[in-house]
Amino acid sequence: AVFAPGRITVQVIFNYPGFCFNGSLIARLECEQGLTVDEKNTMCELPPPATPAKEALGPSGGLIGPLSKDHGLIVSLRNLKRWYQQPGLGEWLHELRLFSLTMNGYTLSE
């Protein structure tokens, strides 16, 4: 979990664009008034740990294969949907230059 009483563990909760965005979003959720630790963690779903590869080249940084409910892209999209449902968070995301949809020119209405 990202949030625990007295502790925040910054982790990748959205794979696109990267760690700076994740840290800023986690900080924003921490500042959201009225959200419990459980509600914050619900908005920060983590993909299951990767299974180590048993191939000659070793583990891969990318997950290649069919999409499933646990695939990093699908988990990221579920998190994104939850963020848009939190009042004011979608607007904040689209004002943040670190957010990949903002970097690529998408507006909140799109």
Side-chain angles (χ1 to χ4, degrees):
V2 172
F3 296 94
R7 188 183 80 229
I8 298 171
T9 305
V10 178
Q11 300 181 54
V12 176
I13 55 173
F14 192 72
N15 287 326
Y16 321 95
F19 206 70
C20 293
F21 169 77
N22 286 276
S24 65
L25 180 58
I26 289 168
R28 172 61 191 240
L29 290 175
E30 174 62 12
C31 294
E32 285 285 313
Q33 298 295 315
L35 288 178
T36 67
V37 168
D38 288 339
E39 289 169 328
K40 292 174 188 177
N41 279 323
T42 296
M43 288 197 281
C44 296
E45 179 183 352
L46 301 169
T51 308
K54 295 179 180 162
E55 299 174 15
L57 294 177
S60 168
L63 184 60
I64 300 173
L67 294 178
S68 69
K69 68 179 183 66
D70 294 329
H71 190 282
L73 172 63
I74 303 304
V75 172
S76 290
L77 293 175
R78 274 197 302 269
N79 283 335
L80 183 62
K81 182 178 177 182
R82 292 177 186 121
W83 303 335
Y84 281 130
Q85 292 170 346
Q86 177 67 21
L89 195 54
E91 290 83 0
W92 179 82
L93 284 168
H94 283 273
E95 293 172 359
L96 185 65
R97 66 182 180 173
L98 297 172
F99 184 43
S100 57
L101 294 180
T102 301
M103 288 189 298
N104 289 309
Y106 289 95
T107 64
L108 180 59
S109 62
E110 292 176 294

